[in-house]
Amino acid sequence: SDAVRANDSERDYPRAIRLLREAVALDSNFAEAWRKLSVSIRNQGGYAPSVGDSAIRRAFALRERMTERERDAVLGYYYQQNPGYDRQKAIDAYERMLARGDSTVALVNAGVQYLQRRQYAKAESLFRASAKLQPGNQTSVNNLINALRDQGRYATADSVIAGARKSFPGATTFNQLSV
């Protein structure tokens, strides 16, 4: 949970990676930690793609030992990124999660897939729902800003940026964006 908070709320990817590596060192079959390690590595950047691929492959290999929710989270991310890239399979996994009422992972990740499909309004609605459900999640807000800008809704994006600066005063991400 500390690693999830470091990744999602604090955007402290080096800390998240360190904590997740500790978790998988303690339990090499901790599939959700492998999935989140892949996420954090990709969020951090600066790593060879094979490093993130290796972590998601390990999670994918463990998928049969997981709950339905965890399995869909792994499948979604595996198909969302290399090595198993298949956008429709990723969307299908996230939509299954949403249909079951699980929105902690699926809202943002499904939104990213719709954003890449240029279905901006659908992506925006998912990012807004995620930001409302998880007000401490900077990733949701950042993705919402991207969806608004992609739609040419710059005034609304600027309003969200201004709100994000108030909600996340210590975050540097929103200081880099124009208002």
Side-chain angles (χ1 to χ4, degrees), residues 96-132:
R96 283 192 302 271
M97 293 176 77
L98 290 170
R100 286 193 307 270
D102 183 340
S103 53
T104 56
V105 170
L107 285 170
V108 168
N109 289 309
V112 168
Q113 295 306 298
Y114 286 115
L115 198 62
Q116 291 174 351
R117 277 189 164 181
R118 299 182 180 180
Q119 292 177 268
Y120 302 125
K122 175 80 173 177
E124 176 190 348
S125 69
L126 293 168
F127 297 142
R128 283 190 184 280
S130 179
K132 184 176 181 180

Side-chain angles (χ1 to χ4, degrees), residues 117-151:
R117 277 189 164 181
R118 299 182 180 180
Q119 292 177 268
Y120 302 125
K122 175 80 173 177
E124 176 190 348
S125 69
L126 293 168
F127 297 142
R128 283 190 184 280
S130 179
K132 184 176 181 180
L133 182 70
Q134 302 176 72
N137 187 332
Q138 292 182 45
T139 301
S140 302
V141 177
N142 195 59
N143 287 334
L144 173 59
I145 292 164
N146 291 334
L148 292 167
R149 286 182 166 177
D150 287 344
Q151 294 174 80

Side-chain angles (χ1 to χ4, degrees), residues 46-179:
Y47 289 89
S50 61
V51 178
D53 289 353
S54 176
I56 195 60
R57 277 192 180 109
R58 179 67 178 144
F60 187 78
L62 296 167
R63 69 190 179 280
E64 296 306 321
R65 303 179 52 180
M66 307 169 88
T67 66
E68 190 175 30
R69 178 224 174 265
E70 292 170 329
R71 185 173 30 258
D72 279 338
V74 165
L75 290 173
Y77 198 71
Y78 178 82
Y79 291 122
Q80 177 176 328
Q81 302 285 337
N82 291 330
Y85 184 74
D86 184 323
R87 186 177 294 138
Q88 188 57 54
K89 286 183 179 180
I91 288 173
D92 291 345
Y94 294 134
E95 290 289 346
R96 283 192 302 271
M97 293 176 77
L98 290 170
R100 286 193 307 270
D102 183 340
S103 53
T104 56
V105 170
L107 285 170
V108 168
N109 289 309
V112 168
Q113 295 306 298
Y114 286 115
L115 198 62
Q116 291 174 351
R117 277 189 164 181
R118 299 182 180 180
Q119 292 177 268
Y120 302 125
K122 175 80 173 177
E124 176 190 348
S125 69
L126 293 168
F127 297 142
R128 283 190 184 280
S130 179
K132 184 176 181 180
L133 182 70
Q134 302 176 72
N137 187 332
Q138 292 182 45
T139 301
S140 302
V141 177
N142 195 59
N143 287 334
L144 173 59
I145 292 164
N146 291 334
L148 292 167
R149 286 182 166 177
D150 287 344
Q151 294 174 80
R153 297 175 53 205
Y154 301 109
T156 305
D158 286 347
S159 176
V160 173
I161 292 167
R165 287 179 178 162
K166 290 178 184 170
S167 296
F168 306 103
T172 58
T173 303
F174 305 109
N175 293 334
Q176 298 169 6
L177 302 173
S178 63
V179 176

